[in-house]
Amino acid sequence: MTAITPDNITVPRKLPEGGKTNLVGLTREQMRETLIAAGTPERQARMRVGQLWQWIYQKGVTDFSVMTNLAKDYRALLAEKFTISRPEIVTRQVSSDGTRKYLLRIQGGHEVETVYIPEDDRGTLCISSQVGCTLTCSFCHTGTQKLVRNLTPAEIVGQILVARDDLGEWPKPGRHPKDETRLLSNIVLMGMGEPLYNFDNVRDAMKIAMDAEGISLSRRRITLSTSGVVPEIPRAGAEIGCMLAISFHATTDEVRDRLVPINKRWNIEALLNALRAYPKLSNSERITFEYVMLKGINDSDEDARRLVRLIEGIPAKINLIPFNEWPGAPYERSSNNRIRAFADIIYKAGYASPIRTPRGEDIMAACGQLKSATERARKSRAQIEAEIRR
Ligand code: SAH
Ligand code: SF4
């Protein structure tokens, strides 16, 4: 595993625009302090934060001049010192199945991808937490890209704002933002990066996503996916409280070491112990186990039975993901029959075992295919294979 620790990577808070501070992504307390430092009277600051949050996150406003419940002079002051900025859209691709993939440019010229997946009963935005990933899961395209840096809270929340702009989802007069028909109703942290290696920024961004004056999504509509950063799992429960998905992918340490190398640091047993202690676990708040189906590697009946034994007692759903191929990938997708047989064993043991339909394959938007076009530092197939054998 790479030795880079992303925790101390410098995170820029200011955007280049004339040195103005971006108000997007600041916690309530940070924004309060920022407004006071800019001359807002202390006794008004808390109320101003609430008003600004509603303009920014519920109405999608980017221009201070339209904030009619603020005095004209105050709007001018805000405009002089601050911006309300989002990442810039470089490309926007729409798949034949309606999936939308955005390539976004962030400060420093880096690029990240965000994917919107419409379904009958929901619209899910798959967001990225890092540029690239320090982990090197051998079946994942993002894992072949070097980590450039952690995303800031503004860049994480900004992905939601960009998608809402594009979906035209800002309330029309008389329409309440909590409308069940919301186009963007769910968030999954399943894009590029390992969210638990960018914990603080992901937490601050998700707090804005869950806040009633922010994006206002229920914590049960937000799912954080981790490859298994065991020490951060209790913090995710305590400080974010969202739903959890685990990239499990194997039923023995030997195979998991090869597929998800972080397993060498925290093995299956350590991971399962952390999951058993995750707060609020119940049949209505289950943990999702993601399991990528790789031909001849992890897809036998014996694997399915072992999986059932391992997770015994954990309220869980097993999401089977047919492997999405990418150029140079050292694996193949299991056959449909094999996936169905595997799903059947799990289902008969009492667990939901949905097979994830790959979405947006024609635009390389499916799970594990994300990798920004500017990052050409892809490892060779030989390098990946050497890592697997290690
Ligand atoms: N880093 C986090 C979140 C991003 S990956 C994590 O690993 O959990 C989102 C999901 O897609 C993970 O379960 C990941 O294992 C899976 N995935 C990665 N590459 C894939 C591929 N080529 N085909 C199918 N699923 C893949
Ligand atoms: Fe990183 Fe997740 Fe891909 Fe593993 S599967 S390399 S943790 S993005």
Side-chain angles (χ1 to χ4, degrees):
M1 207 167 58
T2 355
I4 311 165
T5 52
D7 318 285
N8 48 14
I9 291 171
T10 325
V11 173
R13 276 217 179 275
K14 290 201 169 181
L15 283 176
E17 269 179 76
K20 292 182 186 179
T21 302
N22 187 8
L23 291 183
V24 175
L26 298 183
T27 63
R28 282 176 175 275
E29 192 45 36
Q30 285 165 346
M31 196 187 286
R32 202 181 77 88
E33 284 165 12
T34 307
L35 293 180
I36 292 170
T40 307
E42 222 173 307
R43 62 188 149 60
Q44 290 178 5
R46 194 172 302 278
M47 183 174 76
R48 299 283 172 249
V49 170
Q51 290 170 315
L52 282 163
W53 274 42
Q54 291 189 22
W55 284 113
I56 298 171
Y57 300 119
Q58 302 203 336
K59 300 196 173 74
V61 160
T62 53
D63 181 353
F64 294 103
S65 67
V66 304
M67 300 184 174
T68 43
N69 56 354
L70 302 176
K72 224 168 170 188
D73 290 355
Y74 188 60
R75 284 184 249 160
L77 171 92
L78 293 175
E80 195 187 301
K81 310 228 169 199
F82 305 116
T83 61
I84 299 167
S85 320
R86 295 118 158 72
E88 174 198 343
I89 299 185
V90 180
T91 58
R92 166 185 176 278
Q93 288 170 279
V94 181
S95 157
S96 52
D97 68 13
T99 301
R100 299 181 187 200
K101 181 168 88 166
Y102 309 97
L103 178 66
L104 305 178
R105 184 172 298 130
I106 56 171
Q107 207 187 338
H110 306 305
E111 290 175 351
V112 288
E113 287 172 310
T114 304
V115 179
Y116 172 74
I117 308 146
E119 286 174 279
D120 291 343
D121 62 339
R122 67 185 64 189
T124 304
L125 191 69
C126 178
I127 63 184
S128 294
S129 54
Q130 300 182 307
V131 184
C133 188
T134 45
L135 301 176
T136 51
C137 302
S138 49
F139 54 89
C140 173
H141 202 197
T142 306
T144 66
Q145 179 184 328
K146 279 192 233 138
L147 176 89
V148 182
R149 70 167 167 82
N150 282 333
L151 297 189
T152 64
E155 290 158 350
I156 299 171
V157 174
Q159 296 172 60
I160 308 172
L161 300 180
V162 163
R164 277 201 163 168
D165 287 343
D166 187 47
L167 295 165
E169 191 172 59
W170 297 110
K172 319 267 176 301
R175 232 185 93 200
H176 194 267
K178 267 227 147 125
D179 197 335
E180 282 305 306
T181 60
R182 274 163 80 144
L183 294 172
L184 199 170
S185 62
N186 291 59
I187 289 175
V188 293
L189 281 149
M190 293 187 186
M192 296 163 64
E194 169 48 62
L196 294 187
Y197 270 157
N198 185 15
F199 189 90
D200 291 358
N201 293 350
V202 165
R203 176 200 56 212
D204 290 353
M206 290 308 108
K207 290 215 141 152
I208 293 171
M210 294 186 278
D211 195 293
E213 285 185 311
I215 307 287
S216 171
L217 290 174
S218 149
R219 62 173 187 84
R220 294 176 60 170
R221 289 186 177 268
I222 298 177
T223 303
L224 182 153
S225 173
T226 178
S227 57
V229 185
V230 166
E232 302 291 344
I233 289 177
R235 276 184 83 198
E239 296 178 37
I240 309 176
C242 58
M243 308 296 284
L244 199 60
I246 302 294
S247 294
F248 206 64
H249 307 318
T251 60
T252 63
D253 281 324
E254 193 231 322
V255 176
R256 197 162 190 272
D257 281 352
R258 282 191 284 145
L259 298 182
V260 189
I262 200 174
N263 195 68
K264 293 182 202 157
R265 186 120 177 239
W266 296 290
N267 66 12
I268 291 179
E269 193 190 349
L271 177 57
L272 292 172
N273 286 340
L275 299 184
R276 289 200 162 86
Y278 196 72
K280 299 207 183 71
L281 268 191
S282 68
N283 273 333
S284 62
E285 296 205 18
R286 293 169 292 178
I287 287 181
T288 302
F289 284 77
E290 298 163 279
Y291 199 97
V292 62
M293 298 298 292
L294 304 171
K295 188 185 240 166
I297 306 280
N298 63 357
D299 62 352
S300 69
D301 286 355
E302 186 46 36
D303 279 305
R305 285 191 285 266
R306 218 170 7 234
L307 178 59
V308 168
R309 283 200 298 275
L310 283 171
I311 64 172
E312 204 195 328
I314 303 179
K317 166 174 112 178
I318 290 87
N319 212 331
L320 299 175
I321 318 176
F323 174 59
N324 292 312
E325 303 201 346
W326 39 271
Y331 300 107
E332 281 174 77
R333 178 184 292 188
S334 310
S335 72
N336 289 345
N337 283 345
R338 183 86 300 273
I339 299 176
R340 273 195 292 270
F342 194 97
D344 206 45
I345 294 174
I346 294 166
Y347 181 75
K348 288 202 172 114
Y351 295 95
S353 55
I355 300 168
R356 194 182 287 174
T357 325
R359 297 291 302 263
E361 276 189 300
D362 51 343
I363 54 170
M364 286 282 283
C367 299
Q369 290 184 316
L370 302 185
K371 178 174 191 301
S372 41
T374 46
E375 308 300 336
R376 295 286 177 210
R378 176 141 54 82
K379 292 173 195 160
S380 69
R381 192 188 170 112
Q383 258 178 301
I384 296 168
E385 281 170 354
E387 259 165 34
I388 299 165
R389 278 195 299 271
R390 248 203 325 239

